[in-house]
Amino acid sequence: MKCRHCGHALAQPFLDLGSAPPSNAYLTSAALAGPETWFPLRILVCAHCWLVQTEDHAGRELLFADDYAYFSSFSSSWLAHARKYVESMLQRFGLGASSLVVEVAANDGYLLQYVQQAGVPCYGIEPTAGTAAAARALGLRVVERFFGIALASELAAAGQKADLIAANNVLAHVPDINDFVAGFACLLKPAGVATFEFPHLLRMVLGCQFDTAYHEHYSYLSLTAVQRIFSANGLTLFDVEELATHGGSLRVFAQRTQTGAQPLSPQVAALLAQEQQHGMMGAAFYQGMQRDALRIKNGLLRFLLQAQAEGRRVGAYGAAAKGNTLLNFAGVRPDLLPYVVDLNPAKQGRFMPGCRIPIVDMAHLSADRPDYVLILPWNIKAELMAQLQGIGEWGGRFVTAVPALEVSQP
């Protein structure tokens, strides 16, 4: 395999999780009678540009199909994050009724609804039919296609260039990252700004967050790699912020290299220096993730086996992609974890891919009254623990497995 940015051959391993089905390929009851397609889940490092990337085995059309089940609006903390982002960007860049805001990977309209409420013209780009329909139900305009230079050129020719383009948690999800980034340089107005949010590879490694690895994540991004990719495709970074979302993310600000006028923030150089100090441009930095993944896997299995031996009931909460990675790598099946609760009706009544654990609603949790609730999306642990405080009424406790097994009182 060659690097999807610079084309150099990839030889340095980062993480090998065996094989797994696509993490959002939730199964229907009828599908349980048939086979599943599993792909190798192996991640490599480019020693030339330091882009970390998953081996190519599944195309984007398979991974982001019409029944894609991730809906952003089911997280109250993520909605609050989106509202705050919109308020900040409109003020910082002086956007109003004569401006145009675009979101790439608009999902169910979780963010653009706040742009629309502010009276700023906007539209979204979203390839998955179910989430696009949800966004349209909010009165939003959605272009239902994958984004890249071809679509950006069409929209630009139609007078749809943007003052601001938002791209939250999508940069890691694109197989052709050069084509994707070049589309932003094409769709921005001369003085336009694009912002990108993505999990920070530095935090992934330092926090042992191996479960953020799955096929939909084609790339795992450092600021160093992103700066190189942007520079090669007509964009210049001018600012960066560190965020707490998804276990530690970056929000980067970019403008067209030839026409942008935003001043360069010293934060860019400072964060690049921080990555350099941690050794992210050297092979040794990437050599501990496999060990950490095995430690976390074994810790979870020991806990579940001990709970079963003691006759204690365990349920899980949050049918998230990272949960699928964890459960499939650990080989957990319904005999050890009989169900996963999720608020999303699109997931309820289905089954987790690979491990085939049933996904149920909140009523099931209240009826079962488990001794432990394993929180799979640990990145929103505080939000979920607040939602589930009622488990304390029957003496239930919370469990998280990443970065190490932890049992908490409500």
Side-chain angles (χ1 to χ4, degrees):
M1 178 180 168
K2 293 185 177 180
C3 176
R4 59 175 40 91
H5 167 56
C6 70
H8 281 70
L10 300 178
Q12 182 174 326
F14 176 60
L15 190 61
D16 189 343
L17 300 181
S19 63
S23 60
N24 283 292
Y26 299 94
L27 302 170
T28 64
S29 296
L32 294 180
E36 287 181 76
T37 301
W38 290 52
F39 301 97
L41 184 50
R42 185 166 177 251
I43 303 171
L44 304 170
V45 183
C46 177
H48 180 75
C49 70
W50 300 108
L51 178 62
V52 177
Q53 50 211 285
T54 302
E55 281 185 332
D56 288 331
H57 291 287
R60 64 183 184 181
E61 288 78 12
L62 173 66
L63 300 178
F64 302 103
D66 289 347
D67 61 350
Y68 186 68
Y70 179 78
F71 288 72
S72 298
S73 293
F74 283 99
S75 170
S76 59
S77 62
W78 188 244
L79 287 175
H81 176 80
R83 182 192 290 272
K84 184 178 179 181
Y85 166 86
V86 170
E87 293 171 351
S88 176
M89 295 305 106
L90 297 187
Q91 180 179 13
R92 177 172 178 175
F93 299 112
L95 304 178
S98 61
S99 307
L100 182 59
V101 175
V102 176
E103 185 181 16
V104 175
N107 199 262
D108 59 6
Y110 76 100
L111 184 147
L112 286 181
Q113 63 182 328
Y114 302 121
V115 179
Q116 180 176 254
Q117 291 169 14
V120 178
C122 61
Y123 67 91
I125 299 170
E126 172 56 54
T128 63
T131 56
R136 291 192 186 101
L138 298 174
L140 295 165
R141 181 162 63 98
V142 181
V143 178
E144 196 172 314
R145 288 173 58 186
F146 285 101
F147 184 75
I149 191 68
L151 177 56
S153 298
E154 291 178 28
L155 293 169
Q160 298 295 299
K161 286 192 173 186
D163 297 280
L164 172 68
I165 307 178
N168 288 345
N169 298 308
V170 63
L171 188 59
H173 290 71
V174 294
D176 190 343
I177 199 166
N178 291 323
D179 176 73
F180 184 79
V181 171
F184 286 79
C186 177
L187 191 55
L188 282 174
K189 292 179 181 178
V193 169
T195 68
F196 302 77
E197 293 183 19
F198 50 85
H200 190 190
L201 177 61
L202 177 62
R203 299 303 157 199
M204 177 184 180
V205 174
L206 297 182
C208 311
Q209 299 166 5
F210 85 94
D211 57 341
T212 59
Y214 40 92
H215 299 103
E216 289 92 330
H217 280 171
Y218 288 92
S219 301
Y220 305 82
L221 301 161
S222 64
L223 186 65
T224 299
V226 167
Q227 184 187 52
R228 290 175 175 174
I229 293 166
F230 282 17
S231 178
N233 290 286
L235 293 180
T236 297
L237 289 177
F238 66 87
D239 200 2
V240 60
E241 298 174 359
E242 294 185 86
L243 307 173
T245 54
H246 296 284
S249 296
L250 296 182
R251 176 186 291 157
V252 300
F253 297 74
Q255 58 190 340
R256 293 176 62 175
T257 300
Q258 295 182 340
T259 58
Q262 297 290 334
L264 177 63
S265 167
Q267 286 299 112
V268 175
L271 192 51
L272 289 171
Q274 183 183 354
E275 291 186 348
Q276 179 73 39
Q277 290 164 6
H278 278 283
M280 295 188 76
M281 278 59 75
F285 178 82
Y286 302 95
Q287 293 173 353
M289 279 297 285
Q290 191 71 33
R291 179 190 65 244
D292 289 334
L294 290 170
R295 172 181 56 78
I296 292 167
K297 164 187 173 176
N298 293 335
L300 175 61
L301 283 174
R302 280 194 298 269
F303 168 78
L304 292 174
L305 289 167
Q306 182 177 349
Q308 185 181 74
E310 294 174 353
R312 299 190 181 275
R313 294 190 307 281
V314 184
Y317 191 95
K322 55 172 49 70
N324 289 323
T325 294
L326 173 64
L327 297 178
N328 283 316
F329 181 56
V332 176
R333 298 296 182 263
D335 60 320
L336 290 178
L337 188 66
Y339 61 87
V340 178
V341 177
D342 201 277
L343 291 181
N344 185 350
K347 295 181 181 180
Q348 293 168 4
R350 296 197 172 200
F351 297 79
M352 303 280 275
C355 62
R356 300 192 168 198
I357 296 172
I359 304 170
V360 300
D361 60 16
M362 280 291 294
H364 190 99
L365 185 73
S366 300
D368 185 55
R369 299 163 69 91
D371 298 288
Y372 300 102
V373 176
L374 173 64
I375 295 178
L376 295 173
W378 48 260
N379 54 300
I380 53 172
K381 173 184 175 181
E383 174 186 342
L384 298 184
M385 288 179 66
Q387 289 179 9
L388 300 170
Q389 283 184 350
I391 74 168
E393 296 176 5
W394 62 77
R397 289 182 286 177
F398 296 109
V399 180
T400 50
V402 179
L405 194 89
E406 181 180 353
V407 179
S408 307
Q409 299 288 346

